[in-house]
Structure formats: C-alpha cells, structure tokens
Amino acid sequence: MTRPPENNAAPPPGAGVPPLPAVPPQPLPHPLPHPLPQQRSAGGTPAVSPPSPPSTPSPPSTRRRTAFAEGVDRLRAAAVTEPGRLRIIGALLAVLVLAFGAVTAWQMNERSAAADDVLTRSQPLSSAAADIYRSLADANTAASSGFLAGGQETKASRDRYEKGVRAAAEGLVKAAADSDAESPAATTITRLNRLLPEYKGLIERARTYNRQGYPVGGAYLRYANEKMQKEMLPAAEDLYTRENRRLSDDYADAEPYPWAAIALGVLALAALGWAQHRDYRRTNRVLNHGLVTATATATIVLLWLVVGHTVARSNLNDSYDHGVRSLNALHEARIASLKARGDENLTLVARGAETRKVGGETLDAYDLDFEKNMDTLGKGLAEARRLADDRTGEKPVAAASADMTEWKKRHAAAREQDENGNYRQALDLVIGGRGATVECFDGVDASLAVALAHEKDEFERAAGDGLDAMGLLPEGAAALVVLGAAGALLGIGRRLSEYR
C-alpha cells in the first residue's frame, strides 16, 4: 500500500493559491478641493486614502408659526370673500350688542344698589344718629327741668328723662349693629356707650343731694351738663356727620348718568344701521328681519336706559332737596331747641355761677348759650320753611316759628325777674304752668316732630319712586340684548345661506 510522504512542512507562499486579478485605478467621482494627504504603506510606497462620501445638505430650518398668526392669515383670507365678510360682520355685531347689554346691566345694577342704600340704609342711619343726638339733649333738658322743681320733681319730667336715656341707648345699639367693627363710627359709639352710664351716675347724685337740700346737687348737675355738652353731644354730632357723609356718597353713586352704556348703545345702533344699509346696497332688499330685530331690541334698551335713569335721577334729586335737606334742617332746629331749653334751665340752676366776659361785660354763660341756640333754631326753621314744598309741610314749621317768637318774649321776662332778685317769679315763668316758657318749648318740639314725620314720608316716597324707575332695568336689558344678538346672527346667517 502506498502512503503519501509524511512531510509537516508548510507549502511555500503562494503555492496552490491562484493570483488575484489586477484592478485598474478608478477615477474620482468629483474633483477634490484639496489634495488628500498621502500615507505611506509599510513598503514605503505612497498610498492614497479612499475619498469620503459627499455630505448630504441639511434642509433649511423652518420657524413654527403661532396660532394667532395663522388665525390672522385665515381671517385675512376670509375677508376677501363675501361669505367671510358676512361672518366677521355678524360676529362683531353680536359682540357689540352683548357688550352694550353687559355694561348697561353692570352700571344700572350699581346705581340701583346705591339708590336702595339711600332708601333703606344711609338715610335711616343718618336719622338714627340724629335721634341719638336729640335723645341725649332731651334727657339733659328733662334732668335740668326736674332739678328746678326741687324735691318735688314731677313724674312727667322724670319719665321724659328716662325715655330720652332709653332711646339714646337703643339708638346706640342699633348704630353699633349697622356699623363696621373697625370704623371710626364704631369708635364713637363705643365712647358714647362708656359716657352714658357716667352721665346717669352724675344725674342721680345731683337728684339725691337736691332732694336733701344740699347745694352740692347743683354742682353735680352742672358737671353732668358739662359732660353732656363737651363730650357726649360732640361725639353724637360726629356720628351724625359721618352718617350724613355716607348718605351723600350713596347719592353720588346713584345719580351719575351711565355714559359708558349710552355710548355703547349708540355705537351698536350705528353698526346695525350700517350693516342693514350694506345689505340693502348689495341685495336690494329693504329689510333683514334678524337685523331689524336686533336694532329694535337695542333701541328699546337704550331708550329704557336713558328715560329710566332720567326719571330715577329726578326723583332722587327731589328726595334730597325736599327730603334729606328738609330733614337735616328740622333735626338741627329741634336739637337747637332742646339745647336752648337746657341752657334756660341751667341759667336758674347756676344762678350766676358760670359767667363769661363779652366786650368787657360779664354775662351769664348759660344765657349766652341760650341766645346762640335760639339763633340756630331760627335759622333752621327758616331753612325748613323755604324747603317745604306743600302746605302740609309748611304749616307745622310756621307754628314752631310762632312758638319760638313767644318763647323769646317770655324768656326775656323771666330773665328780668331773675336779675331783679325775684327768683321764685322767674322760676314760675320758666317751669310753671300756663304762660311759662315750657309751653313754648313743648309747642316747638311737638310741631317739629310733626314736620319731621311729614318730610320723612316725602323722602321715602320720592326715593322709592327713584328706585322703582331703575327696577328690572338690569335684568330686562340683559334679556333683550341676548335676543338682539341672536337676531343679528340669524340675520347674517340668512344671507350666508344664499352662498351654499
């Protein structure tokens, strides 16, 4: 058996391997801008690196457009066509009519709320503050009248004092409930609530010593009167002034014309008229029912707004001129009469203990205050008579003026008796029965009470009419403009249907 020769030697290189065919050099697809760097092979022959594939140009960067810009483009594109123009006109008309109704409802709602505050909040609080002032002055006057009667203080004067103090306390409770906790009015009310028990304590001490016949009772009464005149009544007057200022602010909010709503109403009517004229020119149709409906509702709202607010404003002005101003004059007159009565009584209580120098002459201080308060009373009655707009309101004021004139005469007679040393006769002319000044004071007070009740009714009637003139206007305007906006859209939609 023949074996192949055992030979572990590797065949020579290239033996038994067919040679690779030669590849001719290939031309470059594009000329190279720069010569490629030459690399040398291991044998030292320069070798050429294969060219890198051409780079693909990147697409140009695009900026993303905003939705607003795209909307403007669409709107611009739509505006060049008649259907697009109609859609824009319809949308603008609807927005304008709705804006007119919204502003009308907003402004008239504010004015209606202010008018309601005038009727139900501000003026009642102003009158309540005036009643607090009057009740304090009335209690002080009744206390001095009872003191003059000595140990035989009448039940009528005692009851009048208690009624005045009770009315003042109740008024302070109501005013505290209606005022803000941190407001200046609340601070004034707190102060009066603190001073009222102090005043009552002084009056009771004066009564106690007076019944026992001690002269110190008069000193306590003068001290109580000083606390009333210099602390309590100024605080009550400050409260009255603040409430009156709030009343004036509510009038200022209720009376101005709603110019913004009126201007929008005129603009809406002008736009609706232009739209109908444009429709007529393009279609030769006289009426567009939807636009006519929108025009009619906008006209109704505008007329209702102007007429209603004018009537309300007139009534509110009347309620202020012949209601609030009359009430203020009557309140001041009544308070002046009460203070004058208290000064007249204290003239006899002090008996010259309190004096002032006027032009080098020494005069009784309480008698000087009496004259000053009587002058204030006369001015208040004259103003109230001038403001009275009917016989019912004028009659009690005239009666009060007549009683005031008689009061001055009797007071002069009483002062003459007192200066001549006839104290008992002077006392009878002040607190006695028939022919005394107390009759005149009671007549003035009763007549002013009647006049106040009448003017209060006049105020409530006029202010109520003003509030009623604005009633339902915000709600009615809102409902009508919704109907008008719908009519405008339907009218334009009817025209658009012709292009489909």
Side-chain angles (χ1 to χ4, degrees), residues 440-457:
C440 301
F441 164 71
D442 289 340
V444 169
D445 193 66
S447 297
L448 289 176
V450 173
L452 280 167
H454 172 72
E455 295 300 333
K456 184 178 180 181
D457 291 340

Side-chain angles (χ1 to χ4, degrees), residues 124-439:
L125 286 177
S126 176
S127 291
D131 287 341
I132 292 173
Y133 193 112
R134 182 191 58 78
S135 298
L136 291 173
D138 194 14
N140 194 50
T141 300
S144 61
S145 297
F147 188 91
L148 284 177
Q152 293 78 31
E153 180 181 5
T154 63
K155 184 177 183 300
S157 64
R158 180 72 182 184
D159 289 345
R160 183 165 186 168
Y161 166 78
E162 295 292 346
K163 181 181 177 182
V165 170
R166 185 168 54 252
E170 291 173 354
L172 289 172
V173 171
K174 185 178 184 303
D178 293 333
S179 61
D180 297 331
E182 303 297 330
S183 64
T187 304
T188 303
I189 293 168
T190 302
R191 185 182 177 205
L192 284 170
N193 278 322
R194 176 179 56 82
L195 290 172
L196 186 58
E198 296 177 7
Y199 171 80
K200 290 177 65 179
L202 292 172
I203 291 297
E204 293 307 320
R205 287 188 181 93
R207 279 199 177 109
T208 300
Y209 288 122
N210 188 44
R211 282 195 297 267
Q212 296 174 359
Y214 295 141
V216 72
Y220 271 106
L221 182 66
R222 292 195 301 273
Y223 184 35
N225 178 74
E226 184 178 357
K227 183 177 287 290
M228 175 65 73
Q229 298 291 342
K230 294 185 178 180
E231 296 184 56
M232 299 178 70
L233 289 182
E237 185 177 7
D238 179 67
L239 181 63
Y240 173 65
T241 302
R242 291 182 187 278
E243 296 301 337
N244 254 358
R245 190 179 301 121
R246 183 193 297 185
L247 175 61
S248 298
D249 291 341
D250 286 336
Y251 268 106
D253 291 338
E255 291 182 348
Y257 273 103
W259 292 115
I262 293 173
L264 275 174
V266 173
L267 183 60
L269 286 176
L272 288 166
W274 171 82
Q276 292 178 81
H277 180 65
R278 181 181 184 277
D279 188 56
Y280 168 73
R281 284 171 50 204
R282 291 178 176 270
T283 64
N284 209 27
R285 294 170 183 167
V286 177
L287 297 177
N288 181 303
H289 295 115
L291 294 179
V292 169
T293 300
T295 304
T297 55
T299 302
I300 292 172
V301 172
L302 184 60
L303 289 176
W304 191 2
L305 173 65
V306 173
V307 175
H309 188 271
T310 301
V311 173
R313 180 187 174 94
S314 175
N315 284 312
L316 287 173
N317 285 333
D318 184 62
S319 72
Y320 185 82
D321 292 336
H322 301 289
V324 173
R325 292 177 62 189
S326 294
L327 287 171
N328 289 342
L330 290 169
H331 279 306
E332 291 174 4
R334 195 177 189 188
I335 290 168
S337 72
L338 289 166
K339 293 171 71 175
R341 179 61 180 173
D343 292 329
E344 185 178 44
N345 292 337
L346 286 168
T347 301
L348 295 177
V349 172
R351 303 184 71 175
E354 300 287 340
T355 59
R356 286 186 210 151
K357 283 196 173 184
V358 179
E361 185 179 359
T362 302
L363 300 176
D364 188 282
Y366 293 113
D367 193 49
L368 284 175
D369 290 337
F370 170 83
E371 296 294 340
K372 183 175 68 173
N373 286 314
M374 289 300 283
D375 290 341
T376 304
L377 172 60
K379 293 176 182 177
L381 290 175
E383 179 68 8
R385 192 167 187 176
R386 185 183 69 82
L387 293 171
D389 57 346
D390 57 7
R391 179 62 182 165
T392 306
E394 185 180 357
K395 184 177 178 181
V397 177
S401 297
D403 286 330
M404 180 194 68
T405 303
E406 182 63 25
W407 185 0
K408 288 180 177 180
K409 293 178 182 178
R410 295 182 184 183
H411 175 78
R415 290 299 302 145
E416 183 180 359
Q417 293 293 332
D418 187 36
E419 290 173 357
N420 291 333
N422 299 323
Y423 178 77
R424 190 72 238 179
Q425 288 84 347
L427 187 64
D428 289 339
L429 287 174
V430 172
I431 65 170
R434 189 174 181 84
T437 59
V438 65
E439 282 186 333

Side-chain angles (χ1 to χ4, degrees), residues 30-53:
H30 300 285
L32 295 176
H34 302 286
L36 294 173
Q38 293 184 351
Q39 299 179 356
R40 293 186 177 274
S41 63
T45 59
V48 179
S49 300
S52 59

